[in-house]
Amino acid sequence: MTNNKYIEIDKKNYLQTFGRYPITLDYGKGSRVWDVEGKEYVDALAGIAVNAVGHNHPVLVKQLQEQVTKLMHISNFYLSKPQAELSKKLVDLSGLDRVFFSNSGAESVEGAIKIARKYAHSIGRGGEIISFTGSFHGRTMATIAATGNKQMQEGFEPIPAGFKQVPFNDIKAAKSAVSKETAAFIIEPIQGEGGINSIDIEFIKELRNLCDEHNIVLIFDEIQTGIGRTGKMFAHEYLGIKPDIMTLAKALGGGVPIGAILSNEKVSSAINFGDHGTTFGGNPLACSAALAVLKIIESENLLEQAKEKGQWLKNRINELNLPGLKEIRGKGLMIGVEFDFETKPLVEKMLEKGVLANATAGSVLRIVPALNITTDDLEKVIDVLIESLKEL
Ligand SMILES: Cc1ncc(COP(=O)(O)O)c(C=O)c1O
């Protein structure tokens, strides 16, 4: 069947909420994917920062195959070997004290909000969560409230109460927003959907101090930045401060849905038996995938690769004198190229020419490929970018 035939099926049957590109993908290998008509693409989007080790990585595939034949799912009434191993691994890597597994990013943020509120109430504070303009925290009811983008909230009222937004990187605004009601601040070390905007180091240090002063919980949403994306396992390692809670998802399972909420002992201790739960979260299959992803990142030195290749890509784009280029932002392989025009038509042109990328925040081209993408594949991304800009 052709791309169009599948798209007709989708249009007729699927809830029409995604503005999809006109292709239907069939299989992938490394950073290459093929559509159902056999056309090949370089994948510079990696499922929006999910396929960190590329498609079909042999170590991940083998581990999943083995786990499928052993145990895919059990209730969280029981423990599985992969869950115990993964919890230890993530606690060791993060320096935080406890972990809870979920199925997605939004669900991790929901869990983080619950832990923060439970802790805040236990010390006599209110439950308000403060986030930042340009942030993105998910599409469930509480996470659209945290995201604060009116477009995402419209028509879904009443929006859950207890959320407030202040300007990104503005410590004065953050300070004046704080009251006895404040439970937590939630922030992305680099805003992903918001256009690859980095946190200011002085600002975040002051925010950490502000939180310590008032016993407010600091949540880092590392759903997009975590698991090696920026060249460190967690992007906040660049900042020299630690959060009380960190959310993860996306790259953690390398394509198998899994999220995680990590928290320090202080806030974790507010959670009692029965306070939170999940059926699927942390099942043996998903945990086994995450263990394989972490193993691959270590054995293939992917943090270093992300740093080097990201820098290479930024340098390459910088020396090209691209028409309409305003700024190149980001760290490691989380790169935003801002132009002085809307980038959606550019992304469509690039797709026609065999590269998957993404437009975000209107005028930003987002490049978040697998951490092990080859230089040849990155060269192709550059060539296609140049050709596409010429034809726009
Ligand atoms: C920083 C951040 N938080 C939360 C989410 C929501 O994750 P999910 O789509 O898995 O629910 C995303 C997704 O893009 C994200 O980038």
Side-chain angles (χ1 to χ4, degrees):
M1 276 213 304
T2 60
N3 283 313
N4 279 342
K5 279 276 173 227
Y6 282 106
I7 284 159
E8 272 171 35
I9 296 175
D10 179 73
K11 287 229 161 87
K12 187 159 180 292
N13 297 286
Y14 201 81
L15 189 71
Q16 290 298 289
T17 180
F18 293 119
R20 296 196 205 265
Y21 294 105
I23 56 168
T24 304
L25 293 171
D26 193 21
Y27 62 98
K29 184 140 194 56
S31 282
R32 300 266 168 158
V33 288
W34 286 261
D35 70 19
V36 290
E37 294 174 19
K39 182 171 168 182
E40 186 176 333
Y41 304 82
V42 171
D43 187 359
L45 185 60
I48 320 188
V50 168
N51 306 103
V53 298
H55 300 277
N56 254 315
H57 192 291
V59 174
L60 176 58
V61 170
K62 185 161 177 281
Q63 180 127 340
L64 282 170
Q65 282 169 338
E66 282 173 13
Q67 190 60 44
V68 162
T69 61
K70 275 185 169 170
L71 202 56
M72 279 198 271
H73 179 82
I74 52 171
S75 161
N76 273 309
F77 286 153
Y78 313 102
L79 181 61
S80 69
K81 222 167 83 175
Q83 191 186 94
E85 285 171 7
L86 183 62
S87 57
K88 175 164 181 2
K89 185 86 200 163
L90 284 177
V91 163
D92 286 350
L93 282 171
S94 68
L96 290 163
D97 300 310
R98 293 191 180 273
V99 66
F100 182 91
F101 294 118
S102 67
N103 305 289
S104 68
E107 222 189 298
S108 296
V109 175
E110 292 266 352
I113 292 168
K114 281 182 73 179
I115 298 170
R117 281 190 172 165
K118 194 82 202 300
Y119 171 71
H121 295 325
S122 77
I123 56 164
R125 302 189 65 87
E128 192 170 75
I129 310 292
I130 305 179
S131 59
F132 294 87
T133 50
S135 67
F136 181 76
H137 300 294
R139 293 296 205 126
T140 59
M141 289 307 296
T143 58
I144 58 172
T147 295
N149 178 335
K150 292 284 169 266
Q151 253 182 335
M152 289 179 195
Q153 296 178 349
E154 229 169 73
F156 299 109
E157 301 82 0
I159 301 301
F163 293 88
K164 184 150 95 182
Q165 284 76 43
V166 296
F168 188 53
N169 280 337
D170 183 340
I171 194 65
K172 262 200 195 137
K175 279 183 178 164
S176 53
V178 161
S179 74
K180 194 97 180 62
E181 287 308 305
T182 314
F185 280 96
I186 180 165
I187 192 160
E188 298 154 82
I190 301 176
Q191 291 185 336
E193 304 303 299
I196 319 294
N197 309 311
S198 290
I199 232 170
D200 178 76
I201 295 205
E202 277 319 302
F203 161 78
I204 196 62
K205 284 192 173 143
E206 286 196 55
L207 189 70
R208 178 70 271 182
N209 290 341
L210 179 68
C211 288
D212 291 343
E213 217 175 286
H214 297 276
N215 226 341
I216 292 168
V217 177
L218 181 59
I219 306 169
F220 275 167
D221 182 345
E222 291 238 25
I223 285 163
Q224 195 160 149
T225 52
I227 315 296
R229 172 63 38 204
T230 66
K232 299 256 188 207
M233 187 55 80
F234 309 110
H236 73 262
E237 291 170 39
Y238 285 108
L239 305 173
I241 56 138
K242 266 171 75 173
D244 300 295
I245 301 181
M246 169 170 66
T247 55
L248 298 172
K250 286 197 183 274
L252 180 58
V256 176
I258 180 168
I261 308 145
L262 285 131
S263 44
N264 63 20
E265 195 56 38
K266 184 179 85 170
V267 298
S268 308
S269 62
I271 295 292
N272 297 315
F273 285 112
D275 275 349
H276 196 47
T278 170
T279 296
F280 288 118
N283 84 13
L285 187 68
C287 289
S288 172
L291 283 167
V293 167
L294 295 172
K295 192 160 72 183
I296 296 164
I297 289 177
E298 275 170 23
S299 65
E300 296 184 10
N301 212 4
L302 294 190
L303 300 184
E304 224 23 65
Q305 283 204 40
K307 250 183 253 161
E308 282 172 19
K309 286 176 182 164
Q311 198 50 54
W312 180 89
L313 195 61
K314 277 198 203 163
N315 293 346
R316 260 320 253 123
I317 296 173
N318 248 327
E319 69 197 20
L320 287 172
N321 256 329
L322 295 177
L325 178 76
K326 278 179 80 179
E327 197 184 5
I328 307 170
R329 297 193 287 267
K331 271 205 151 60
L333 281 169
M334 182 170 184
I335 293 178
V337 189
E338 186 173 11
F339 290 93
D340 62 7
F341 53 81
E342 290 275 314
T343 44
K344 186 140 192 275
L346 172 64
V347 169
E348 285 164 353
K349 239 319 148 230
M350 289 175 73
L351 180 82
E352 262 173 51
K353 295 181 178 298
V355 168
L356 308 186
N358 162 252
T360 192
S363 54
V364 178
L365 174 72
R366 177 167 42 176
I367 304 176
V368 282
L371 308 182
N372 57 2
I373 189 168
T374 62
T375 314
D376 278 357
D377 285 345
L378 286 176
E379 286 281 8
K380 163 108 185 176
V381 174
I382 298 281
D383 291 347
V384 163
L385 174 61
I386 297 169
E387 280 169 40
S388 303
L389 281 167
K390 274 190 199 145
E391 288 181 28
L392 274 185

